[in-house]
Amino acid sequence: MPFTEICIYQVKPQKAEEFEALMLEAKSFLEKQEGLLLVRLIKRGYRIDMKQIKEGLPPLEIKRIVKSVKYMLYWEFDTKESYGAAQKNLYDTYWKPMEKCLIVPHDKYLGERLF
């Protein structure tokens, strides 16, 4: 069963460009991790409310930043062991520069992919 992580980053608005440049640089590093099946970085740019859902309308674009710019990193590995090794490699290289861009420590959600 593949092992996954979804990581939520709340980036200081003035550090968003720096964070994106850092993550773009880290992309090739992340893609070389043993056992990696998939990696994606998403920038939150939309929201949806019940009107959009009930009427089948597209989501609403977020027009202003209130507190932070939110990003989600999704990566998936063949095993928990491969994931653990990749986390150490990330910690030893890009972790500290990434953390300097955040307003709070990032959240990690871990689990095995069901489908």
Side-chain angles (χ1 to χ4, degrees), residues 47-112:
R47 64 179 182 80
I48 194 162
D49 60 24
M50 286 308 294
K51 178 179 179 177
Q52 273 67 36
I53 293 169
K54 288 179 180 180
E55 296 179 16
L57 299 172
L60 301 168
E61 186 174 359
I62 295 174
K63 301 281 188 192
R64 64 185 177 98
I65 299 167
V66 176
K67 184 177 174 185
S68 66
V69 181
K70 293 184 178 70
Y71 296 86
M72 290 79 54
L73 177 70
Y74 175 88
W75 54 347
E76 184 172 287
F77 289 86
D78 58 353
T79 65
K80 290 183 280 197
E81 292 75 20
S82 294
Y83 166 78
Q87 278 297 307
K88 180 180 182 341
N89 293 338
L90 183 62
Y91 183 80
D92 290 343
T93 55
Y94 289 96
W95 196 290
K96 288 181 184 168
M98 290 165 52
E99 291 283 310
K100 289 180 182 179
C101 295
L102 307 180
I103 62 168
V104 295
H106 61 280
D107 289 329
K108 290 183 177 293
Y109 300 92
L110 309 171
E112 294 173 338

Side-chain angles (χ1 to χ4, degrees), residues 38-42 72-75:
L38 179 68
V39 62
R40 297 283 187 263
L41 181 68
I42 302 157
M72 290 79 54
L73 177 70
Y74 175 88
W75 54 347

